Amino acid sequence: MRALVLLTLVGCTGKPSDDSSPPPQDSEPNDSVDSVPIDSVDSVPPEDSVDSVDSQPVVIDNDADGSPVEEDCNDADPAIYPGATDVPCDQVDANCDGVGEADIVLIGETRYASVSEALTAATDGDTIDVCPGIHVENLEIATAITLTINGYSGSYVDTELDGGSVGPVLALGEGVDLTLSNIGIVNGLATWRNETDVQTGGGIYANGAWVRLSNVQFYENTAQDYGAGIAVRLDDSGNTGLSVDGCVFHDNHASDSGGAIAVLGSDNADVTVSASTFTDNRAPTYGGAIYVGGDGLEATIDGSDFTTNSTSSNRSYGGAIGTADADVELTVTDSTFSGNTAGRNGAALGLTSSRAVLTADGCTFSANNAYQSGAGMYLESDDFSAEINNSSFASNVSSTDAGGVEIVGGGSAWFDTVSFTDNAAGNAGGGGGATDIRRGFTVATKAQSGTTRSEEHTSELQSHSDLVCRLLLEK
C-alpha cells in the first residue's frame, strides 16, 4: 500500500494540482505590442522560388553602343549597331541590315550587287555610283536612255570596270546619252559588231550615241580593227557626239587605226578632246592615238599632250593623230606632240583627206620621228586649207623629206609666228629640214622688215633649219 503511494508521487513531480486554481484564460491581444502573424515573421521562401526573386536578365553590351550583343552584329565596334548610319561604299554593314558589305553599286540610296544589276533597274536621268574596286563585267545599254555612271570615290584609280579581255567593257546603242566619270576602263576587247565596224571599240563601242567622258582612264584595251580605247560611230541626227575632258589614254592597241580613239561616221556631230593625255597608244595604219575617219566631222583638240604614240606600217599616217580619205575640219590648240613615230608620214599629225581644214595654234611639235616625211606635220589633200599660228617645230626628224612640215596637194596654208629649230630630213636633195612644199605651190615669205618676196619651190626656204616666218601657199 505504501509502495503504490510512493510511485504516484514520483511520476507527478511539479506543483501539486490545486483544484481551487482558476482555469487558464485565453490571452487578449495587446494593442501596444507589435504582434505579427507567425507565418509572416522572417519567413524563408521555398527553395524553388529563390532564383525568381534574386536573378534579372543580364544585358551584355561590350562596346557600350546601346545594343546588346545578341542584336549587335559587331559588339566590338561602337559605330556598328542596328539603326546606325551606313556609309555607302565602305564595305561595312554599319546598321546590321545584312546588305552593307554588298553595296557594290548605288542608285540614290538603293544598293545593287553589280553594275549590270543597276543598269537593269535604272531609269532615264539616273546616276549610278560605282564603289571602289575592280568590277569585271561586260555591259550593254541597248535602248535609248540618259544615264551617268560615276566612280563614287572621285578617282579613276580607285574604281575600274574590267572587260576581262573577253569583250568590250561598254556597248552603247542608238539614242543612249552616257556620261562616264571618275572611273577606269581596262582590258576591253572588241568583238564582232557588224559588216561595217567588224571588231571595233575595245573599251567602249558606241553606235549612234552621245558619249561624255570626264576623268576617265583607258588602258590595255585592244581592238582588231578600230578604236581600242573607244570607237564611236556618229550620224547626222544631231544626237550623237563625243566629248573627252581630263582623261588619260595609255597602252591601248588597235590592229588597224585609232589606238586610243576612233571617230567614224558622218557630219553634224561634235567631237571635242580637252586637257587629256595620250601615251604609248599604238595602231599600224592611221592615228596611233586618235583616228578621225568620218566625212564632215568637226573635231577640236585643246590643251592635250601626245607622247610616244605610234603607227608602224609603211603606209601609215599620224603617229599621234591621223585621218584618211575624210572630209574633216580639225582644230588643235595649246597642245604638245613629243616623241611620236610614224611608219610613213606625219609622226605627230598626218592628214590625208579629200578636203581638210586644219587650224593649229599654240602647239609644240618636238622630237617626233617619221620614217618617210613630215615628222612634225604631214598634210595631203586636193582641197586643203591650213592655218598654223604661234607654234614651234623642234628636233623633228624624217628619213626622207621635211623634218618639220610637209604639204602635198592643192590649197592654201598660212604660217604666222612659227619657229622651226633643228629639224632634219635624211634624204639628200629631198625636202628641207623645216618644210617641203610640193605640187606647184607659190611661197611668200614676209620678213620682219616688212619686205616680201615670192618664189616657187624655194630651195633656200626648204633648207632652213631655223625659221620664223609667215607663209601664204597658193595653188
Side-chain angles (χ1 to χ4, degrees):
M1 183 70 173
R2 286 184 180 177
L4 179 61
V5 172
L6 178 62
L7 289 172
T8 302
L9 291 174
V10 173
C12 298
T13 58
K15 189 174 180 179
S17 174
D18 186 357
D19 294 335
S20 63
S21 299
Q25 302 290 326
D26 295 332
S27 302
E28 295 292 334
N30 189 341
D31 293 338
S32 65
V33 179
D34 293 335
S35 60
V36 180
I38 293 176
D39 292 341
S40 66
V41 177
D42 295 331
S43 60
V44 178
E47 184 177 348
D48 60 358
S49 67
V50 172
D51 291 342
S52 63
V53 174
D54 295 339
S55 65
Q56 297 294 330
V58 177
V59 177
I60 299 175
D61 183 7
N62 293 315
D63 57 7
D65 59 8
S67 295
V69 63
E70 60 269 19
E71 298 177 5
D72 199 332
C73 54
N74 186 344
D75 205 35
D77 189 338
I80 299 176
Y81 57 88
T85 299
D86 202 355
V87 178
C89 290
D90 64 356
Q91 299 298 295
V92 176
D93 185 13
N95 62 3
C96 298
D97 64 358
V99 299
E101 295 183 3
D103 55 356
I104 302 299
V105 186
L106 309 118
I107 299 179
E109 297 182 358
T110 304
R111 305 181 181 198
Y112 300 90
S114 67
V115 181
S116 58
E117 183 181 327
L119 284 174
T120 300
T123 59
D124 199 57
D126 276 346
T127 294
I128 298 174
D129 288 313
V130 183
C131 296
I134 299 174
H135 308 277
V136 182
E137 300 192 55
N138 304 103
L139 307 167
E140 183 172 6
I141 307 175
T143 58
I145 191 172
T146 298
L147 285 176
T148 296
I149 299 177
N150 174 60
Y152 188 81
S153 73
S155 171
Y156 58 68
V157 175
D158 297 336
T159 307
E160 292 184 343
L161 300 180
D162 188 326
S165 299
V166 297
V169 176
L170 272 167
L172 311 177
E174 292 185 11
V176 173
D177 189 325
L178 176 68
T179 297
L180 190 66
S181 59
N182 306 316
I183 211 161
I185 302 295
V186 57
N187 291 329
L189 173 66
T191 53
W192 174 267
R193 289 292 156 194
N194 51 54
E195 293 290 342
T196 301
D197 291 340
V198 195
Q199 298 180 56
T200 293
I204 298 176
Y205 172 75
N207 184 9
W210 240 113
V211 184
R212 309 168 198 272
L213 306 174
S214 175
N215 196 36
V216 178
Q217 177 175 241
F218 292 78
Y219 72 96
E220 295 183 2
N221 300 285
T222 58
Q224 186 69 27
D225 290 291
Y226 301 98
I230 176 173
V232 292
R233 178 162 292 282
L234 309 178
D235 58 38
D236 57 3
S237 67
N239 298 318
T240 63
L242 175 65
S243 172
V244 179
D245 180 54
C247 295
V248 175
F249 295 80
H250 69 87
D251 296 287
N252 301 285
H253 178 214
S255 296
D256 193 306
S257 300
I261 298 173
V263 181
L264 313 167
S266 58
D267 58 2
N268 201 25
D270 294 325
V271 177
T272 62
V273 177
S274 62
S276 296
T277 62
F278 298 80
T279 307
D280 292 329
N281 301 284
R282 308 181 307 281
T285 311
Y286 298 99
I290 298 177
Y291 168 66
V292 180
D295 286 333
L297 289 174
E298 296 183 8
T300 300
I301 298 169
D302 176 64
S304 296
D305 296 327
F306 297 81
T307 306
T308 58
N309 304 282
S310 63
T311 56
S312 55
S313 79
N314 59 9
R315 60 185 183 90
S316 66
Y317 295 81
I321 301 174
T323 69
D325 303 323
D327 179 351
V328 63
E329 295 185 13
L330 176 64
T331 300
V332 185
T333 57
D334 299 322
S335 296
T336 62
F337 298 82
S338 178
N340 303 284
T341 61
R344 187 172 182 179
N345 299 327
L349 290 178
L351 279 65
T352 61
S353 303
S354 57
R355 187 190 76 89
V357 177
L358 171 67
T359 301
D361 195 330
C363 295
T364 300
F365 301 83
S366 65
N368 301 287
N369 193 310
Y371 286 96
Q372 185 164 329
S373 302
M377 185 184 297
Y378 180 89
L379 315 174
E380 181 178 354
S381 176
D382 291 332
D383 183 7
F384 198 92
S385 173
E387 291 188 19
I388 317 299
N389 305 316
N390 307 306
S391 297
S392 64
F393 294 80
S395 302
N396 301 286
V397 178
S398 293
S399 298
T400 305
D401 300 323
V405 177
E406 176 156 1
I407 299 176
V408 179
S412 64
W414 288 84
F415 287 67
D416 188 357
T417 316
V418 179
S419 67
F420 293 84
T421 306
D422 296 330
N423 301 284
N427 187 1
T435 59
D436 184 15
I437 315 299
R438 293 190 284 164
R439 282 197 198 170
F441 281 106
T442 298
V443 180
T445 303
K446 184 176 181 181
Q448 291 181 342
S449 64
T451 61
T452 301
R453 60 179 183 160
S454 295
E455 299 175 87
E456 189 168 359
H457 296 290
T458 307
S459 59
E460 178 185 359
L461 175 63
Q462 292 178 6
S463 64
H464 267 294
S465 61
D466 297 280
L467 178 67
V468 179
C469 61
R470 179 181 178 90
L471 304 176
L472 170 62
L473 288 74
E474 295 179 344
K475 195 169 182 178

